[in-house]
């Protein structure tokens, strides 16, 4: 097994080969930078690939570096048009006109524990689109993906704010349902899982997928049975229009909000009669007063150049991550090769070290495994092309990601 000191030294040398300041690392071994590939993608956007030593062999790493200060360069949410929908990174990137793109949040990929319930494909964490709330975070126990490092929550996000600065934060949903009888708390927004006893709102941005999954599992256990105590209220133009004992399916009109309650939330909604005036309001709040232009669920690896405590150092997987450098003005989109071939993937601890070697002060990990995908627009063909070797040599449809644009 390769020593941690050997891994650190090699990462420092690779950082030098990429023209990145080595930070706290010191080089003392033969250069590993001979495997480095560097290519311009667009003005302010560059691609690099290199091989790093790992505890289980070696991993091929692909990085897109983005200068957010360059005129015409921007980042945004990569999105298939609905929360409960999936598409490949390359297809979404092509459709959006992006010059680079990476997969995003973990998502509701399967429902083996709830036979007969449709998997929604919806992501776990919060999301902001065009400065507006798109969805809230599912309860921590409902998240898909591997075990979380200590302190991670499904409210953790990466995004770019209205000042054009990238940052990590947490987004917490606050909302109310106001009726003539009083005010009810809103417990979810376009989520595949709602907290026990809560009421969730679904808008036209949810999509056409069944809402039944939202009443399955508990706050602590994703595989717990679905509750039989549900109630759904359709609010159109500010008034209750229809009522149902079961969660519905199909598209939701833009002037309509569907309220789905489970347990105590269902009992509260049963008090509403057709024609009752209802006002639903909500927002996502963070610790920073500057609002996000876009955000998506992403889980912390680095803060202030230091890896978080408790990161896994044994399980190597294909990984995707987003790193922040230069005070939020430089992004690094990172993905590794898949499970086939000689690339071992990275542990979360190794992933944090790679990002730190690239001078990232903050970094978050995204969905990995078969979802890990990094794509750039080919300067010869003009098409968005996947750069990393995919798990099972197949691009997996995902619910969201990060898109990079350059207009010059």
């Amino acid at each position: 097994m390769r020593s941690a000191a050997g891994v650190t030294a090699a990462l420092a040398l690779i950082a030098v080969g990429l023209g990145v300041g080595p930070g706290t690392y010191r080089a003392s071994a033969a250069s590993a930078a001979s495997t480095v590939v560097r290519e311009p993608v667009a003005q302010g956007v560059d691609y690099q690939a290199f091989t790093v030593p790992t505890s289980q062999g070696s991993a091929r790493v692909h990085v897109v570096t983005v200068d957010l200060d360059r005129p015409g360069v921007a980042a945004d949410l990569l999105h298939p048009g609905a929360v409960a929908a999936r598409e490949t990174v390359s297809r979404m990137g092509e459709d959006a006109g992006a010059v680079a793109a990476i997969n995003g949040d973990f998502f509701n990929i399967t429902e083996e524990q709830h036979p007969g319930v449709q998997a929604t494909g919806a992501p776990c964490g919060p999301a902001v689109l065009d400065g507006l709330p798109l969805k809230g975070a599912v309860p921590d126990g409902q998240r898909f993906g591997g075990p979380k490092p200590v302190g991670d929550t499904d409210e953790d996000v990466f995004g770019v704010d209205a000042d054009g600065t990238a940052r990590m934060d947490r987004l917490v949903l606050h909302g109310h349902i106001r009726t003539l009888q009083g005010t009810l708390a809103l417990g979810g927004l376009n989520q595949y899982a709602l907290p026990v006893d809560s009421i969730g709102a679904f808008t036209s941005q949810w999509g056409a997928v069944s809402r039944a999954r939202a009443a399955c599992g508990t706050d602590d256990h994703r595989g717990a049975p679905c509750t039989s105590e549900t109630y759904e209220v359709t609010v159109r133009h500010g008034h209750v229009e229809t009522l149902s004992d079961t969660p519905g399916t199909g598209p939701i009109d833009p002037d309509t909000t569907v309220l789905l309650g489970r347990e105590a939330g269902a009992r509260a909604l049963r008090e509403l009669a057709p024609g009752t005036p209802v006002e639903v309001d909500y927002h996502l709040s963070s610790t920073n007063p500057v609002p996000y232009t876009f955000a998506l669920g992403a889980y912390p690896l680095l803060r202030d150049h230091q890896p978080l405590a408790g990161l896994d150092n044994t399980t190597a997987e294909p990984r995707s991550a987003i790193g922040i450098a230069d005070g939020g003005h430089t992004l690094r989109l990172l993905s590794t090769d898949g499970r086939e071939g000689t690339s071992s993937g990275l542990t979360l601890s190794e992933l944090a070290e790679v990002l730190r070697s690239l001078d990232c002060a903050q970094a978050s990990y995204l969905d990995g495994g078969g979802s890990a995908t990094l794509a750039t627009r080919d300067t010869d063909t003009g098409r968005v092309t996947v750069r990393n070797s995919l798990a099972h040599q197949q691009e997996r449809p995902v619910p969201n990601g990060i898109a990079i644009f350059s207009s010059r």
Side-chain angles (χ1 to χ4, degrees):
M1 181 176 291
R2 188 180 296 269
S3 70
V7 172
T8 297
L11 285 172
L13 287 161
I14 289 168
V16 172
L18 289 170
V20 176
T24 59
Y25 295 103
R26 295 294 179 267
S28 60
S31 176
S34 60
T35 58
V36 170
V37 174
R38 298 190 69 179
E39 299 174 10
V41 175
Q43 290 293 318
V45 183
D46 294 300
Y47 164 79
Q48 300 103 26
F50 51 91
T51 301
V52 298
T54 74
S55 59
Q56 301 182 38
S58 64
R60 190 67 173 166
V61 177
H62 305 259
V63 179
V64 168
T65 298
V66 183
D67 181 0
L68 291 177
D69 281 344
R70 182 71 68 92
V73 174
D76 206 345
L77 186 70
L78 195 67
H79 181 55
V83 170
R86 295 165 59 194
E87 186 53 90
T88 62
V89 169
S90 62
R91 180 73 265 167
M92 286 191 286
E94 188 73 43
D95 290 346
V99 298
I102 193 169
N103 67 287
D105 199 357
F106 293 88
F107 60 97
N108 175 209
I109 190 171
T110 182
E111 279 305 323
E112 296 175 357
Q113 296 163 312
H114 303 110
V117 175
Q118 180 182 8
T120 66
C124 301
V128 173
L129 177 65
D130 297 331
L132 298 173
L134 181 63
K135 68 175 300 291
V138 301
D140 277 352
Q142 293 270 14
R143 175 182 160 182
F144 281 74
K148 297 181 298 183
V150 175
D152 274 10
T153 77
D154 263 11
E155 294 171 343
D156 286 304
V157 298
F158 161 84
V160 174
D161 62 30
D163 290 338
T165 303
R167 74 175 199 262
M168 294 160 46
D169 211 323
R170 287 183 177 173
L171 285 176
V172 181
L173 178 69
H174 298 279
H176 300 87
I177 304 161
R178 306 181 195 281
T179 73
L180 296 177
Q181 289 82 10
T183 300
L184 303 170
L186 186 70
L189 171 65
N190 290 327
Q191 296 169 205
Y192 69 77
L194 294 173
V196 172
D197 289 323
S198 74
I199 301 170
F202 293 83
T203 71
S204 60
Q205 293 172 309
W206 168 253
V209 173
S210 170
R211 299 177 287 276
R213 174 59 184 83
C216 297
T218 65
D219 299 356
D220 302 315
H221 181 30
R222 193 180 74 210
C226 305
T227 181
S228 60
E229 193 174 8
T230 61
Y231 202 69
E232 193 170 86
V233 172
T234 300
V235 178
R236 184 178 173 87
H237 296 304
H239 291 80
V240 174
E241 186 173 80
T242 61
L243 311 170
S244 176
D245 289 323
T246 58
T249 189
I252 300 170
D253 291 338
D255 57 4
T256 299
T257 300
V258 175
L259 300 175
L260 173 62
R262 55 176 297 177
E263 296 94 15
R267 295 191 291 274
L269 289 181
R270 287 182 183 275
E271 300 299 316
L272 301 180
T276 301
V278 173
E279 178 185 346
V280 182
D281 65 79
Y282 49 81
H283 67 279
L284 292 168
S285 66
S286 73
T287 59
N288 193 312
V290 182
Y292 276 112
T293 298
F294 88 91
L296 78 169
Y299 307 92
L301 282 167
L302 290 176
R303 284 199 178 98
D304 299 322
H305 297 277
Q306 297 302 313
L308 271 66
L311 294 178
D312 176 78
N313 61 2
T314 59
T315 306
E317 296 279 0
R319 303 287 183 184
S320 286
I322 182 75
I324 303 172
D326 301 327
H329 300 282
T330 297
L331 299 181
R332 304 201 197 281
L333 283 59
L334 181 153
S335 198
T336 69
D337 281 352
R339 296 184 176 96
E340 289 80 11
T342 59
S343 182
S344 65
L346 298 168
T347 67
L348 286 180
S349 179
E350 290 167 340
L351 180 62
E353 288 297 335
V354 171
L355 287 157
R356 184 162 69 144
S357 77
L358 297 173
D359 262 5
C360 293
Q362 321 291 332
S364 299
Y365 68 99
L366 305 165
D367 192 7
S371 299
T373 309
L374 180 67
T376 64
R377 189 168 294 276
D378 188 286
T379 55
D380 293 327
T381 67
R383 305 290 296 179
V384 174
T385 304
V386 175
R387 301 306 296 255
N388 60 316
S389 296
L390 300 169
H392 310 300
Q393 300 179 353
Q394 186 173 8
E395 191 176 357
R396 173 184 286 171
V398 295
N400 62 20
I402 300 166
I404 304 300
F405 301 91
S406 176
S407 61
R408 298 189 180 187

